[in-house]
Amino acid sequence: MSHMPPDHAELASALRLSLLRAARRLRSQRVDMAATLSQLSALDTVGKCGPLSAGEIAMVERVQPPSMTKILAALEQSGWIERSSHPEDRRQSIIAITPAGLELLAEETRARDEWLAKRLVEFSAEDLRKLGEAVEVLDRIGSE
Amino acid sequence: MSHMPPDHAELASALRLSLLRAARRLRSQRVDMAATLSQLSALDTVGKCGPLSAGEIAMVERVQPPSMTKILAALEQSGWIERSSHPEDRRQSIIAITPAGLELLAEETRARDEWLAKRLVEFSAEDLRKLGEAVEVLDRIGSE
DNA sequence: TATTGTTATACTCTATAACTATA
DNA sequence: TATAGTTATAGAGTATAACAATA
């Protein structure tokens, strides 16, 4: 739109390319084959936000319900989540992380963070401050 | 690694999730059907860095050669790039953006930036400063 | 032999449309 | 009828392995 301040358009352009390329690098970094990145992200949500329905997890993760169905099927087959019946609504089930899931989550998260952290140690304190400040703002871009 | 300072591990963890979710939102935003995001990114590189070989584009975009082959085939079929023969090495071809490619690039980039810029207008000047500072650091994460 | 690029194949990630079961 | 979730299907994005052509 021509009424958009140039500041925003320029920042948007730079940020878009930066985000895509940084995310491409993160995704291509395959620590091991135990869980995919999407599975890990969903497992993280179940672990942090407590037992949830499939629809609630899809909403938090901002994916469509069929996408979450697939992710949850894989997590259940690996024994990382468990379903129990909803007390009032038999269409839903309540999904909780298992002890094995917690263990997997801790291991995988550590391994993946380590990969990124190894790159961060080469950065200056100033760079890290900039990244840290941007994290919270990035979260809002991803969740609106 | 246990010798990693906790600062780095914590920042890495937060940054990883933030980047992935923000990038997921960017990808899911389909402006129109003319070009995919990967095609647009490669076209941008050809447009900015001048005529290049397929291998050079793959290197800049940080993808493997077979991935770039596929992207370039789509760009060529749409008439957005052109190949000419390399004067000294007949294995390579020199890839350049066409006038139609330049036009497409400008239109698509504008549309996609606009989508992001519309979200940025809701942010404070302080937030925008944080994002702007982080862009350059993110670029280094994506290109190392 | 080494390099450049392509073809064949497969897997991740995600979506929309159509369907089932329950409310 | 409306809602929660699943199944079926498709397409974007990317990789590795095997190959062809050229250096």
Side-chain angles (χ1 to χ4, degrees), chain B residues 125-143:
Chain B
E126 178 73 358
D127 288 339
L128 297 179
R129 180 190 61 74
K130 289 174 181 173
L131 285 177
E133 286 184 352
V135 162
E136 179 268 336
V137 189
L138 285 174
D139 280 339
R140 273 183 283 147
I141 290 179
S143 67

mmCIF file with all atom_site columns, all heavy atoms in Angstrom, chain B residues 125-143:
data_model
loop_
_atom_site.group_PDB
_atom_site.id
_atom_site.type_symbol
_atom_site.label_atom_id
_atom_site.label_alt_id
_atom_site.label_comp_id
_atom_site.label_asym_id
_atom_site.label_entity_id
_atom_site.label_seq_id
_atom_site.pdbx_PDB_ins_code
_atom_site.Cartn_x
_atom_site.Cartn_y
_atom_site.Cartn_z
_atom_site.occupancy
_atom_site.B_iso_or_equiv
_atom_site.pdbx_formal_charge
_atom_site.auth_seq_id
_atom_site.auth_comp_id
_atom_site.auth_asym_id
_atom_site.auth_atom_id
_atom_site.pdbx_PDB_model_num
ATOM 1   N N   . ALA B 1 125 ? 7.640  1.837   18.250 1.00 0.00 ? 125 ALA B N   1
ATOM 2   C CA  . ALA B 1 125 ? 8.927  2.220   17.663 1.00 0.00 ? 125 ALA B CA  1
ATOM 3   C C   . ALA B 1 125 ? 10.060 1.426   18.305 1.00 0.00 ? 125 ALA B C   1
ATOM 4   O O   . ALA B 1 125 ? 11.014 1.029   17.640 1.00 0.00 ? 125 ALA B O   1
ATOM 5   C CB  . ALA B 1 125 ? 9.166  3.717   17.846 1.00 0.00 ? 125 ALA B CB  1
ATOM 6   N N   . GLU B 1 126 ? 9.918  1.184   19.588 1.00 0.00 ? 126 GLU B N   1
ATOM 7   C CA  . GLU B 1 126 ? 10.906 0.397   20.331 1.00 0.00 ? 126 GLU B CA  1
ATOM 8   C C   . GLU B 1 126 ? 10.983 -1.037  19.788 1.00 0.00 ? 126 GLU B C   1
ATOM 9   O O   . GLU B 1 126 ? 12.073 -1.584  19.588 1.00 0.00 ? 126 GLU B O   1
ATOM 10  C CB  . GLU B 1 126 ? 10.487 0.386   21.815 1.00 0.00 ? 126 GLU B CB  1
ATOM 11  C CG  . GLU B 1 126 ? 11.375 -0.424  22.739 1.00 0.00 ? 126 GLU B CG  1
ATOM 12  C CD  . GLU B 1 126 ? 12.711 0.252   23.002 1.00 0.00 ? 126 GLU B CD  1
ATOM 13  O OE1 . GLU B 1 126 ? 12.962 1.334   22.440 1.00 0.00 ? 126 GLU B OE1 1
ATOM 14  O OE2 . GLU B 1 126 ? 13.519 -0.328  23.749 1.00 0.00 ? 126 GLU B OE2 1
ATOM 15  N N   . ASP B 1 127 ? 9.823  -1.641  19.539 1.00 0.00 ? 127 ASP B N   1
ATOM 16  C CA  . ASP B 1 127 ? 9.784  -2.999  18.974 1.00 0.00 ? 127 ASP B CA  1
ATOM 17  C C   . ASP B 1 127 ? 10.464 -3.035  17.611 1.00 0.00 ? 127 ASP B C   1
ATOM 18  O O   . ASP B 1 127 ? 11.218 -3.957  17.294 1.00 0.00 ? 127 ASP B O   1
ATOM 19  C CB  . ASP B 1 127 ? 8.331  -3.469  18.798 1.00 0.00 ? 127 ASP B CB  1
ATOM 20  C CG  . ASP B 1 127 ? 7.658  -3.771  20.128 1.00 0.00 ? 127 ASP B CG  1
ATOM 21  O OD1 . ASP B 1 127 ? 8.379  -4.004  21.116 1.00 0.00 ? 127 ASP B OD1 1
ATOM 22  O OD2 . ASP B 1 127 ? 6.416  -3.761  20.164 1.00 0.00 ? 127 ASP B OD2 1
ATOM 23  N N   . LEU B 1 128 ? 10.187 -2.023  16.804 1.00 0.00 ? 128 LEU B N   1
ATOM 24  C CA  . LEU B 1 128 ? 10.745 -1.982  15.447 1.00 0.00 ? 128 LEU B CA  1
ATOM 25  C C   . LEU B 1 128 ? 12.261 -1.823  15.499 1.00 0.00 ? 128 LEU B C   1
ATOM 26  O O   . LEU B 1 128 ? 12.980 -2.412  14.697 1.00 0.00 ? 128 LEU B O   1
ATOM 27  C CB  . LEU B 1 128 ? 10.107 -0.845  14.640 1.00 0.00 ? 128 LEU B CB  1
ATOM 28  C CG  . LEU B 1 128 ? 8.605  -0.990  14.403 1.00 0.00 ? 128 LEU B CG  1
ATOM 29  C CD1 . LEU B 1 128 ? 8.070  0.204   13.612 1.00 0.00 ? 128 LEU B CD1 1
ATOM 30  C CD2 . LEU B 1 128 ? 8.285  -2.288  13.674 1.00 0.00 ? 128 LEU B CD2 1
ATOM 31  N N   . ARG B 1 129 ? 12.720 -1.027  16.452 1.00 0.00 ? 129 ARG B N   1
ATOM 32  C CA  . ARG B 1 129 ? 14.167 -0.876  16.615 1.00 0.00 ? 129 ARG B CA  1
ATOM 33  C C   . ARG B 1 129 ? 14.798 -2.223  16.947 1.00 0.00 ? 129 ARG B C   1
ATOM 34  O O   . ARG B 1 129 ? 15.816 -2.616  16.366 1.00 0.00 ? 129 ARG B O   1
ATOM 35  C CB  . ARG B 1 129 ? 14.473 0.122   17.744 1.00 0.00 ? 129 ARG B CB  1
ATOM 36  C CG  . ARG B 1 129 ? 15.968 0.341   17.972 1.00 0.00 ? 129 ARG B CG  1
ATOM 37  C CD  . ARG B 1 129 ? 16.268 1.127   19.238 1.00 0.00 ? 129 ARG B CD  1
ATOM 38  N NE  . ARG B 1 129 ? 15.797 0.474   20.460 1.00 0.00 ? 129 ARG B NE  1
ATOM 39  C CZ  . ARG B 1 129 ? 16.369 -0.596  21.014 1.00 0.00 ? 129 ARG B CZ  1
ATOM 40  N NH1 . ARG B 1 129 ? 17.428 -1.148  20.459 1.00 0.00 ? 129 ARG B NH1 1
ATOM 41  N NH2 . ARG B 1 129 ? 15.869 -1.124  22.121 1.00 0.00 ? 129 ARG B NH2 1
ATOM 42  N N   . LYS B 1 130 ? 14.168 -2.966  17.849 1.00 0.00 ? 130 LYS B N   1
ATOM 43  C CA  . LYS B 1 130 ? 14.691 -4.280  18.238 1.00 0.00 ? 130 LYS B CA  1
ATOM 44  C C   . LYS B 1 130 ? 14.749 -5.230  17.038 1.00 0.00 ? 130 LYS B C   1
ATOM 45  O O   . LYS B 1 130 ? 15.729 -5.951  16.844 1.00 0.00 ? 130 LYS B O   1
ATOM 46  C CB  . LYS B 1 130 ? 13.815 -4.893  19.339 1.00 0.00 ? 130 LYS B CB  1
ATOM 47  C CG  . LYS B 1 130 ? 13.947 -4.198  20.682 1.00 0.00 ? 130 LYS B CG  1
ATOM 48  C CD  . LYS B 1 130 ? 12.954 -4.767  21.687 1.00 0.00 ? 130 LYS B CD  1
ATOM 49  C CE  . LYS B 1 130 ? 13.069 -4.061  23.035 1.00 0.00 ? 130 LYS B CE  1
ATOM 50  N NZ  . LYS B 1 130 ? 11.984 -4.487  23.965 1.00 0.00 ? 130 LYS B NZ  1
ATOM 51  N N   . LEU B 1 131 ? 13.693 -5.217  16.248 1.00 0.00 ? 131 LEU B N   1
ATOM 52  C CA  . LEU B 1 131 ? 13.664 -6.086  15.065 1.00 0.00 ? 131 LEU B CA  1
ATOM 53  C C   . LEU B 1 131 ? 14.751 -5.690  14.079 1.00 0.00 ? 131 LEU B C   1
ATOM 54  O O   . LEU B 1 131 ? 15.465 -6.533  13.535 1.00 0.00 ? 131 LEU B O   1
ATOM 55  C CB  . LEU B 1 131 ? 12.300 -6.017  14.374 1.00 0.00 ? 131 LEU B CB  1
ATOM 56  C CG  . LEU B 1 131 ? 11.143 -6.761  15.037 1.00 0.00 ? 131 LEU B CG  1
ATOM 57  C CD1 . LEU B 1 131 ? 9.860  -6.525  14.263 1.00 0.00 ? 131 LEU B CD1 1
ATOM 58  C CD2 . LEU B 1 131 ? 11.440 -8.253  15.126 1.00 0.00 ? 131 LEU B CD2 1
ATOM 59  N N   . GLY B 1 132 ? 14.853 -4.398  13.851 1.00 0.00 ? 132 GLY B N   1
ATOM 60  C CA  . GLY B 1 132 ? 15.837 -3.899  12.890 1.00 0.00 ? 132 GLY B CA  1
ATOM 61  C C   . GLY B 1 132 ? 17.260 -4.282  13.288 1.00 0.00 ? 132 GLY B C   1
ATOM 62  O O   . GLY B 1 132 ? 18.067 -4.682  12.450 1.00 0.00 ? 132 GLY B O   1
ATOM 63  N N   . GLU B 1 133 ? 17.544 -4.178  14.583 1.00 0.00 ? 133 GLU B N   1
ATOM 64  C CA  . GLU B 1 133 ? 18.881 -4.532  15.058 1.00 0.00 ? 133 GLU B CA  1
ATOM 65  C C   . GLU B 1 133 ? 19.153 -6.024  14.918 1.00 0.00 ? 133 GLU B C   1
ATOM 66  O O   . GLU B 1 133 ? 20.279 -6.454  14.708 1.00 0.00 ? 133 GLU B O   1
ATOM 67  C CB  . GLU B 1 133 ? 19.045 -4.118  16.527 1.00 0.00 ? 133 GLU B CB  1
ATOM 68  C CG  . GLU B 1 133 ? 19.214 -2.626  16.722 1.00 0.00 ? 133 GLU B CG  1
ATOM 69  C CD  . GLU B 1 133 ? 19.467 -2.262  18.182 1.00 0.00 ? 133 GLU B CD  1
ATOM 70  O OE1 . GLU B 1 133 ? 19.365 -3.147  19.054 1.00 0.00 ? 133 GLU B OE1 1
ATOM 71  O OE2 . GLU B 1 133 ? 19.778 -1.087  18.447 1.00 0.00 ? 133 GLU B OE2 1
ATOM 72  N N   . ALA B 1 134 ? 18.083 -6.819  15.061 1.00 0.00 ? 134 ALA B N   1
ATOM 73  C CA  . ALA B 1 134 ? 18.263 -8.275  15.040 1.00 0.00 ? 134 ALA B CA  1
ATOM 74  C C   . ALA B 1 134 ? 18.449 -8.817  13.622 1.00 0.00 ? 134 ALA B C   1
ATOM 75  O O   . ALA B 1 134 ? 19.046 -9.879  13.438 1.00 0.00 ? 134 ALA B O   1
ATOM 76  C CB  . ALA B 1 134 ? 17.065 -8.957  15.703 1.00 0.00 ? 134 ALA B CB  1
ATOM 77  N N   . VAL B 1 135 ? 17.969 -8.075  12.622 1.00 0.00 ? 135 VAL B N   1
ATOM 78  C CA  . VAL B 1 135 ? 18.008 -8.562  11.250 1.00 0.00 ? 135 VAL B CA  1
ATOM 79  C C   . VAL B 1 135 ? 19.418 -8.949  10.818 1.00 0.00 ? 135 VAL B C   1
ATOM 80  O O   . VAL B 1 135 ? 19.648 -10.040 10.293 1.00 0.00 ? 135 VAL B O   1
ATOM 81  C CB  . VAL B 1 135 ? 17.427 -7.505  10.270 1.00 0.00 ? 135 VAL B CB  1
ATOM 82  C CG1 . VAL B 1 135 ? 17.858 -7.789  8.848  1.00 0.00 ? 135 VAL B CG1 1
ATOM 83  C CG2 . VAL B 1 135 ? 15.911 -7.484  10.370 1.00 0.00 ? 135 VAL B CG2 1
ATOM 84  N N   . GLU B 1 136 ? 20.345 -8.054  11.101 1.00 0.00 ? 136 GLU B N   1
ATOM 85  C CA  . GLU B 1 136 ? 21.725 -8.307  10.649 1.00 0.00 ? 136 GLU B CA  1
ATOM 86  C C   . GLU B 1 136 ? 22.316 -9.526  11.367 1.00 0.00 ? 136 GLU B C   1
ATOM 87  O O   . GLU B 1 136 ? 23.064 -10.313 10.774 1.00 0.00 ? 136 GLU B O   1
ATOM 88  C CB  . GLU B 1 136 ? 22.561 -7.034  10.893 1.00 0.00 ? 136 GLU B CB  1
ATOM 89  C CG  . GLU B 1 136 ? 24.005 -7.146  10.497 1.00 0.00 ? 136 GLU B CG  1
ATOM 90  C CD  . GLU B 1 136 ? 24.882 -7.602  11.656 1.00 0.00 ? 136 GLU B CD  1
ATOM 91  O OE1 . GLU B 1 136 ? 24.495 -7.399  12.837 1.00 0.00 ? 136 GLU B OE1 1
ATOM 92  O OE2 . GLU B 1 136 ? 25.938 -8.184  11.374 1.00 0.00 ? 136 GLU B OE2 1
ATOM 93  N N   . VAL B 1 137 ? 21.965 -9.696  12.628 1.00 0.00 ? 137 VAL B N   1
ATOM 94  C CA  . VAL B 1 137 ? 22.489 -10.842 13.392 1.00 0.00 ? 137 VAL B CA  1
ATOM 95  C C   . VAL B 1 137 ? 21.850 -12.140 12.877 1.00 0.00 ? 137 VAL B C   1
ATOM 96  O O   . VAL B 1 137 ? 22.523 -13.166 12.736 1.00 0.00 ? 137 VAL B O   1
ATOM 97  C CB  . VAL B 1 137 ? 22.231 -10.669 14.908 1.00 0.00 ? 137 VAL B CB  1
ATOM 98  C CG1 . VAL B 1 137 ? 22.965 -11.744 15.686 1.00 0.00 ? 137 VAL B CG1 1
ATOM 99  C CG2 . VAL B 1 137 ? 22.683 -9.286  15.376 1.00 0.00 ? 137 VAL B CG2 1
ATOM 100 N N   . LEU B 1 138 ? 20.568 -12.077 12.596 1.00 0.00 ? 138 LEU B N   1
ATOM 101 C CA  . LEU B 1 138 ? 19.865 -13.247 12.042 1.00 0.00 ? 138 LEU B CA  1
ATOM 102 C C   . LEU B 1 138 ? 20.488 -13.685 10.724 1.00 0.00 ? 138 LEU B C   1
ATOM 103 O O   . LEU B 1 138 ? 20.615 -14.879 10.447 1.00 0.00 ? 138 LEU B O   1
ATOM 104 C CB  . LEU B 1 138 ? 18.381 -12.936 11.820 1.00 0.00 ? 138 LEU B CB  1
ATOM 105 C CG  . LEU B 1 138 ? 17.502 -12.885 13.067 1.00 0.00 ? 138 LEU B CG  1
ATOM 106 C CD1 . LEU B 1 138 ? 16.093 -12.433 12.702 1.00 0.00 ? 138 LEU B CD1 1
ATOM 107 C CD2 . LEU B 1 138 ? 17.460 -14.248 13.747 1.00 0.00 ? 138 LEU B CD2 1
ATOM 108 N N   . ASP B 1 139 ? 20.855 -12.717 9.919  1.00 0.00 ? 139 ASP B N   1
ATOM 109 C CA  . ASP B 1 139 ? 21.480 -13.031 8.636  1.00 0.00 ? 139 ASP B CA  1
ATOM 110 C C   . ASP B 1 139 ? 22.733 -13.878 8.842  1.00 0.00 ? 139 ASP B C   1
ATOM 111 O O   . ASP B 1 139 ? 23.005 -14.792 8.082  1.00 0.00 ? 139 ASP B O   1
ATOM 112 C CB  . ASP B 1 139 ? 21.863 -11.753 7.888  1.00 0.00 ? 139 ASP B CB  1
ATOM 113 C CG  . ASP B 1 139 ? 20.673 -11.140 7.182  1.00 0.00 ? 139 ASP B CG  1
ATOM 114 O OD1 . ASP B 1 139 ? 19.698 -11.885 6.936  1.00 0.00 ? 139 ASP B OD1 1
ATOM 115 O OD2 . ASP B 1 139 ? 20.713 -9.948  6.881  1.00 0.00 ? 139 ASP B OD2 1
ATOM 116 N N   . ARG B 1 140 ? 23.472 -13.547 9.891  1.00 0.00 ? 140 ARG B N   1
ATOM 117 C CA  . ARG B 1 140 ? 24.698 -14.315 10.131 1.00 0.00 ? 140 ARG B CA  1
ATOM 118 C C   . ARG B 1 140 ? 24.396 -15.734 10.609 1.00 0.00 ? 140 ARG B C   1
ATOM 119 O O   . ARG B 1 140 ? 25.108 -16.661 10.274 1.00 0.00 ? 140 ARG B O   1
ATOM 120 C CB  . ARG B 1 140 ? 25.596 -13.580 11.123 1.00 0.00 ? 140 ARG B CB  1
ATOM 121 C CG  . ARG B 1 140 ? 26.510 -12.580 10.395 1.00 0.00 ? 140 ARG B CG  1
ATOM 122 C CD  . ARG B 1 140 ? 27.448 -11.896 11.339 1.00 0.00 ? 140 ARG B CD  1
ATOM 123 N NE  . ARG B 1 140 ? 26.744 -10.856 12.075 1.00 0.00 ? 140 ARG B NE  1
ATOM 124 C CZ  . ARG B 1 140 ? 27.025 -10.503 13.333 1.00 0.00 ? 140 ARG B CZ  1
ATOM 125 N NH1 . ARG B 1 140 ? 27.985 -11.123 13.985 1.00 0.00 ? 140 ARG B NH1 1
ATOM 126 N NH2 . ARG B 1 140 ? 26.354 -9.539  13.909 1.00 0.00 ? 140 ARG B NH2 1
ATOM 127 N N   . ILE B 1 141 ? 23.308 -15.894 11.365 1.00 0.00 ? 141 ILE B N   1
ATOM 128 C CA  . ILE B 1 141 ? 22.911 -17.257 11.764 1.00 0.00 ? 141 ILE B CA  1
ATOM 129 C C   . ILE B 1 141 ? 22.563 -18.072 10.527 1.00 0.00 ? 141 ILE B C   1
ATOM 130 O O   . ILE B 1 141 ? 22.923 -19.237 10.409 1.00 0.00 ? 141 ILE B O   1
ATOM 131 C CB  . ILE B 1 141 ? 21.687 -17.223 12.712 1.00 0.00 ? 141 ILE B CB  1
ATOM 132 C CG1 . ILE B 1 141 ? 22.078 -16.646 14.057 1.00 0.00 ? 141 ILE B CG1 1
ATOM 133 C CG2 . ILE B 1 141 ? 21.112 -18.638 12.884 1.00 0.00 ? 141 ILE B CG2 1
ATOM 134 C CD1 . ILE B 1 141 ? 20.929 -16.543 15.038 1.00 0.00 ? 141 ILE B CD1 1
ATOM 135 N N   . GLY B 1 142 ? 21.876 -17.429 9.590  1.00 0.00 ? 142 GLY B N   1
ATOM 136 C CA  . GLY B 1 142 ? 21.404 -18.133 8.406  1.00 0.00 ? 142 GLY B CA  1
ATOM 137 C C   . GLY B 1 142 ? 22.477 -18.402 7.381  1.00 0.00 ? 142 GLY B C   1
ATOM 138 O O   . GLY B 1 142 ? 22.260 -19.150 6.445  1.00 0.00 ? 142 GLY B O   1
ATOM 139 N N   . SER B 1 143 ? 23.640 -17.793 7.531  1.00 0.00 ? 143 SER B N   1
ATOM 140 C CA  . SER B 1 143 ? 24.612 -17.888 6.440  1.00 0.00 ? 143 SER B CA  1
ATOM 141 C C   . SER B 1 143 ? 25.969 -18.416 6.893  1.00 0.00 ? 143 SER B C   1
ATOM 142 O O   . SER B 1 143 ? 26.963 -18.182 6.224  1.00 0.00 ? 143 SER B O   1
ATOM 143 C CB  . SER B 1 143 ? 24.780 -16.517 5.787  1.00 0.00 ? 143 SER B CB  1
ATOM 144 O OG  . SER B 1 143 ? 25.378 -15.629 6.690  1.00 0.00 ? 143 SER B OG  1
#
